Amino acid sequence: MRETERMKKIILLIILSFTINAIAQDGSDIKYVDINEIDDSYIGKLVHLDFYNRSFGAFNLDKKDLNDTINIQLENKNIEFKEHRVDNGFNNWFSKQYIESIKFIDGYKIRISMCKIKEIKSDSIKVILFMEYRDNSGKLNSEKPNRIEYDFPKKILTEILVRN
């Protein structure tokens, strides 16, 4: 009889652990909007721009790198940036997304932590880039200018990630 009660407890424990996992909630504070659906109602919104190919990783079964690179002209230099996306369909947090320079520029990696939409034209989007300059240990340099306006042609954008 004792063995039967023990088995019942083990089975109950297994069922409870699966139930708890099944009702656990994922989280997201990002809304994904196709570039063709952007209108003036998005002016003033904080966003991330998704370049060239959709980088949302929820359906990336072959674990391919979905993060694109983009060249941006800053400080009279053509700088190559790479998308850093942590949006996998389970936990998608706006603050975890950014683009960052591939190389160090004057001793710093330049990170664009987000953008604010300033103007939407038929063929481009003007944004304010929020930039961070980090040295090789990751320390933030707050003396450098951290906001500039920039125009991106819509043809290189696939969608925007809007903070909810």
Side-chain angles (χ1 to χ4, degrees), residues 7 9-10 12 19 22 25-27 29-31 33-34 46 52 55 64 66-67 75 85 92 128 134 137 155 164:
M7 283 302 287
K9 287 181 181 179
I10 290 172
L12 181 62
T19 305
Q25 290 185 332
D26 299 327
D29 64 353
I30 300 172
K31 176 182 174 186
V33 182
D34 186 274
L46 296 175
Y52 300 111
S55 57
K64 188 172 109 178
L66 300 175
N67 299 319
E75 302 171 359
R85 298 287 183 246
N92 310 315
I128 298 169
R134 297 182 178 270
S137 67
K155 68 183 180 184
N164 273 342

Side-chain angles (χ1 to χ4, degrees), residues 6 36 58 64 78 85 100 138 149:
R6 194 171 130 185
N36 296 316
K64 188 172 109 178
N78 192 27
R85 298 287 183 246
E100 187 171 64
E149 288 186 13

Side-chain angles (χ1 to χ4, degrees), residues 108-156:
Y108 294 97
K109 286 252 183 155
I110 303 171
R111 180 179 292 183
I112 299 174
S113 59
M114 67 182 140
C115 307
K116 185 176 189 177
I117 297 179
K118 185 162 184 181
E119 184 179 358
I120 299 170
K121 301 177 189 170
S122 62
D123 61 345
S124 67
I125 294 180
K126 180 181 280 190
V127 295
I128 298 169
L129 302 176
F130 290 75
M131 300 184 304
E132 300 174 355
Y133 295 82
R134 297 182 178 270
D135 65 18
N136 59 0
S137 67
K139 185 179 176 192
L140 186 64
N141 178 340
S142 58
E143 296 173 14
K144 289 185 143 294
N146 62 357
R147 293 185 185 170
I148 64 164
E149 288 186 13
Y150 202 86
D151 280 305
F152 290 100
K154 281 185 175 179
K155 68 183 180 184
I156 68 168

